[in-house]
C-alpha cells in the first residue's frame, strides 16, 4: 500500500470527475489492484457472527487467499472494518472511535442481520443497523452468514474497489459526527431504524 | 397436598415462630419453598437465616425482581438462598407496593455477592437498596435517562426516538464507565505512582439518576 494516489499525481495535472484521462485510469488500475488484494481486516466481533468470521479466517476457508493475511487488531493498520455481530448503543461510541482511528483508504463490511439492521433485536438497547453510526460499503445478510457468504461479500467489496477512481472528489471524504452529534441527519436515522417484518405489529408502547 | 407438605422446608416453621406476622405467607412451587416476608423485617429475617445455627443459609444464589403484567400485583424482590452445608434451598420474597417508593434494605453486609445483583435490580427495575455501598447502574450506562427497562410501563424500544438514542450513545465517553472499585488494582491503589492515580481519578463515574 506504499503507492498513494495523492502523492503520485504530478503538480498541475488536471483531474476532472467528468473526464478521467489516461494517467488517472492507469493509476487507478494499479492502486485499486494493490488495494483490493491486500485488505487488512479489523475484526469487530461482538456475537455469533464472529464465530463464523473466525471460521472464515481459519484454514478451511482461509481469508488469506483474498490478501487478508493479517488480522489488524489495531485500527491504525487496518483497511476494512468488519462488524460481525449485533451492536448495542453502549458499543456505538466504541465502533465510531475505531472507525475514526482508521486511516484512509478504509471500507466497512456489516456482517449479519443484526449489524445490518438490528435483526431480531428491535429493542431499547440495540443500534438498528451500524449504518446509523458509520458508513457501510457491503452488507452481508445471514444469521449468521456462512463463511462463503462473507467471502462473497469480500469479493463484492473487491469489485467495488476496482471501480474506484481518483477522479471522484468525494471518494476519500471522511464522514464525521457532526455538530448535532450524529453522522446522518436525525430523520434519516429514524427512517433507517423503522421497524420492519414481524416487528411492525409491535407498537412502541408494547 | 401431602406431597407439597412433605417438600415444605422446615425453615418456614422456624421463621414463623421467630418472626410471627412478618412472614405474610408461604407456598411450595415445583418442590421449592417460597416465603414472603414483610419489607420492614426482611433484612432481620435474612440475617437470621444466614446466622442461625439450624439454618445456615450461607450462600446467596441469586437476587432478582419480578414485576407482573397484572398491575394490581406487587413488585417482588426475590432472594434465592442456599445452605451449602445442609444442602437446602429457600426462596424469600419481599412484596413492594408499586405506588410507594421502591426501597428495600441492602443485603451486601450479609452476602458480598449481592453487590452487583442489587445494582442490576436497581438498573432494571428502579428498586433502591438502602445501605448499598455503590448503587449505580451496571448494565445500562450511568447517564442513561430513559428509565428502568424491565418495568412493565417501559416501551420495548425505549422512550426516546432512535435518532435521540443514537445521539446520546455517540456522545458517551466509553472510558467513563469504570470506577476504581471495578479495577482489579483497587487494592493497590495507594501504592500506585502519583500520575497513574491521577489518571485513574479522572475517569470518574457520572451521577446516579
Amino acid at each position: 500500500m506504499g503507492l498513494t494516489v495523492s502523492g503520485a499525481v504530478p503538480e498541475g495535472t488536471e483531474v476532472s470527475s467528468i473526464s478521467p484521462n489516461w494517467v488517472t485510469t492507469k493509476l487507478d488500475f494499479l492502486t485499486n489492484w494493490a488495494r483490493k488484494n491486500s485488505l487488512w481486516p479489523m475484526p469487530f466481533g461482538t456475537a455469533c457472527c464472529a464465530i463464523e468470521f473466525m471460521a472464515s479466517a481459519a484454514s478451511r476457508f482461509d481469508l488469506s487467499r483474498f490478501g487478508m493475511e493479517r488480522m489488524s487488531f489495531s485500527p491504525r493498520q487496518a483497511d476494512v472494518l468488519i462488524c460481525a455481530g449485533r451492536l448495542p448503543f453502549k458499543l456505538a461510541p466504541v465502533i465510531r472511535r475505531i472507525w475514526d482511528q482508521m486511516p484512509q483508504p478504509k471500507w466497512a463490511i456489516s456482517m449479519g442481520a443484526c449489524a445490518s439492521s438490528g435483526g431480531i433485536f428491535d429493542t431499547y438497547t440495540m443500534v438498528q443497523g451500524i449504518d446509523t453510526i458509520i458508513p457501510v460499503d457491503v452488507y452481508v445478510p445471514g444469521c449468521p452468514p456462512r463463511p462463503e457468504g462473507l467471502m462473497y461479500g469480500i469479493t463484492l467489496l473487491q469489485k467495488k474497489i476496482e471501480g474506484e477512481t481518483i477522479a471522484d472528489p468525494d471518494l476519500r471524504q471522511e464522514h464525521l459526527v457532526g455538530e448535532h452529534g450524529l453522522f446522518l441527519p436525525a430523520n434519516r436515522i429514524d427512517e433507517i431504524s423503522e421497524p420492519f417484518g414481524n416487528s411492525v405489529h409491535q407498537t412502541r408502547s408494547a | 397436598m401431602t406431597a407439597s407438605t412433605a417438600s415444605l422446608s422446615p425453615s418456614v416453621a422456624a421463621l414463623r415462630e421467630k418472626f410471627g406476622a412478618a412472614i405474610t405467607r408461604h407456598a411450595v412451587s415445583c418442590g421449592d419453598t417460597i416465603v414472603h416476608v414483610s419489607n420492614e423485617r426482611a433484612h432481620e429475617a435474612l440475617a437470621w437465616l444466614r446466622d442461625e445455627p439450624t439454618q445456615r443459609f450461607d450462600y446467596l444464589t441469586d437476587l432478582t425482581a419480578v414485576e407482573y403484567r397484572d398491575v394490581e400485583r406487587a413488585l417482588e424482590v426475590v432472594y434465592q438462598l442456599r445452605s451449602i452445608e445442609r444442602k437446602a434451598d429457600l426462596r424469600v420474597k419481599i412484596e413492594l407496593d408499586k405506588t410507594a417508593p421502591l426501597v428495600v434494605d441492602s443485603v451486601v453486609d450479609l452476602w458480598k455477592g449481592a453487590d452487583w445483583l442489587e445494582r442490576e435490580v436497581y438498573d432494571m427495575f428502579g428498586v433502591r437498596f438502602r445501605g448499598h455501598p455503590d448503587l449505580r447502574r451496571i448494565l445500562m450506562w450511568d447517564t442513561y435517562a430513559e428509565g428502568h427497562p424491565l418495568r412493565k410501563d417501559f416501551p420495548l424500544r425505549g422512550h426516546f426516538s432512535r435518532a435521540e438514542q443514537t445521539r446520546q450513545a455517540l456522545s458517551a465517553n466509553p472510558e467513563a464507565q469504570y470506577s476504581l472499585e471495578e479495577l482489579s488494582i483497587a487494592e493497590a491503589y495507594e501504592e500506585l505512582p502519583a500520575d497513574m492515580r491521577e489518571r485513574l481519578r479522572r475517569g470518574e463515574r457520572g451521577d446516579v439518576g
Side-chain angles (χ1 to χ4, degrees):
Chain A
M1 305 292 291
L3 189 61
T4 59
V5 175
S6 55
V9 180
E11 271 302 308
T13 307
E14 200 168 280
V15 176
S16 160
S17 58
I18 305 152
S19 58
N21 57 41
W22 188 88
V23 177
T24 59
T25 49
K26 290 296 157 196
L27 250 162
D28 284 337
F29 177 79
L30 193 65
T31 47
N32 292 342
W33 169 82
R35 280 172 178 174
K36 82 176 172 107
N37 289 308
S38 67
L39 288 169
W40 286 358
M42 161 83 215
F44 191 88
T46 52
C48 30
C49 282
I51 304 293
E52 292 299 304
F53 178 79
M54 284 181 242
S56 315
S59 52
R60 187 181 175 93
F61 296 97
D62 198 13
L63 278 186
S64 317
R65 294 179 292 147
F66 304 97
M68 298 179 127
E69 186 70 56
R70 178 182 174 279
M71 290 295 149
S72 194
F73 290 100
S74 158
R76 296 179 204 286
Q77 281 88 41
D79 299 304
V80 51
L81 177 68
I82 299 181
C83 181
R86 63 189 103 86
L87 188 80
F89 281 115
K90 211 172 175 178
L91 269 178
V94 176
I95 197 172
R96 183 68 227 188
R97 187 173 297 183
I98 287 173
W99 179 251
D100 287 341
Q101 283 171 343
M102 283 168 63
Q104 292 281 10
K106 58 185 175 184
W107 299 272
I109 293 179
S110 166
M111 180 182 177
C114 301
S116 304
S117 70
I120 59 167
F121 302 102
D122 192 9
T123 67
Y124 61 98
T125 50
M126 207 57 68
V127 172
Q128 299 299 301
I130 62 165
D131 44 6
T132 61
I133 310 291
I134 59 169
V136 172
D137 293 282
V138 175
Y139 300 85
V140 181
C143 186
R146 280 191 50 79
E148 292 93 329
L150 180 62
M151 288 191 299
Y152 181 59
I154 289 164
T155 50
L156 281 183
L157 180 63
Q158 289 182 329
K159 278 214 177 72
K160 184 176 181 178
I161 294 169
E162 274 175 34
E164 288 182 351
T165 168
I166 185 181
D168 179 1
D170 300 330
L171 186 64
R172 292 278 90 89
Q173 198 189 334
E174 284 280 357
H175 300 274
L176 297 172
V177 171
E179 278 169 20
H180 53 306
L182 294 167
F183 121 88
L184 290 175
N187 58 347
R188 185 89 186 89
I189 289 183
D190 281 336
E191 193 188 326
I192 291 173
S193 308
E194 275 288 298
F196 63 96
N198 281 337
S199 46
V200 292
H201 303 301
Q202 209 155 30
T203 60
R204 264 192 82 85
S205 57
Chain B
M1 186 64 200
T2 21
S4 68
T5 322
S7 58
L8 180 68
S9 165
S11 301
V12 176
L15 270 170
R16 281 199 182 279
E17 195 186 323
K18 175 81 180 162
F19 293 95
I23 310 299
T24 49
R25 58 197 167 93
H26 70 266
V28 176
S29 170
C30 308
D32 298 332
T33 304
I34 305 165
V35 193
H36 289 253
V37 186
S38 74
N39 193 7
E40 292 74 37
R41 299 194 71 187
H43 186 273
E44 197 187 334
L46 288 163
W48 183 81
L49 283 170
R50 187 190 71 150
D51 297 329
E52 168 67 24
T54 56
Q55 305 297 328
R56 296 197 309 272
F57 286 99
D58 48 1
Y59 180 58
L60 179 70
T61 311
D62 198 8
L63 191 166
T64 185
V66 191
E67 185 180 8
Y68 293 92
R69 201 178 210 174
D70 185 349
V71 284
E72 276 99 57
R73 281 190 74 171
L75 190 147
E76 292 173 346
V77 179
V78 187
Y79 301 82
Q80 182 67 40
L81 305 181
R82 168 93 180 154
S83 171
I84 292 172
E85 292 170 64
R86 298 197 297 118
K87 297 182 173 63
D89 295 284
L90 185 67
R91 191 176 304 150
V92 179
K93 286 186 176 183
I94 304 174
E95 291 190 331
L96 296 175
D97 181 4
K98 277 191 277 187
T99 57
L102 304 170
V103 184
V104 298
D105 285 319
S106 169
V107 294
V108 176
D109 54 332
L110 303 176
W111 296 279
K112 272 214 157 177
D115 187 338
W116 283 13
L117 297 170
E118 286 183 351
R119 278 178 66 186
E120 187 179 346
V121 172
Y122 163 69
D123 191 357
M124 291 290 129
F125 291 92
V127 178
R128 292 187 160 270
F129 290 87
R130 208 185 287 118
H132 190 284
D134 183 23
L135 192 66
R136 291 179 295 130
R137 287 185 182 274
I138 187 167
L139 296 172
M140 311 308 287
W141 48 100
D142 277 345
T143 52
Y144 188 70
E146 294 185 58
H148 301 284
L150 289 192
R151 293 298 301 271
K152 289 293 178 206
D153 57 5
F154 188 92
L156 178 63
R157 299 188 183 103
H159 287 292
F160 301 161
S161 73
R162 288 302 193 191
E164 177 60 17
Q165 287 173 344
T166 310
R167 195 190 64 74
Q168 292 199 357
L170 283 177
S171 65
N173 174 14
E175 276 104 39
Q177 307 279 345
Y178 305 102
S179 73
L180 271 182
E181 289 84 348
E182 282 161 351
L183 297 169
S184 56
I185 54 170
E187 301 275 329
Y189 177 65
E190 291 304 325
E191 295 161 38
L192 291 173
D195 60 329
M196 191 183 283
R197 257 185 297 175
E198 173 60 22
R199 267 188 288 128
L200 285 171
R201 196 185 57 74
R202 265 188 277 126
E204 288 301 353
R205 68 190 72 144
D207 286 323
V208 179

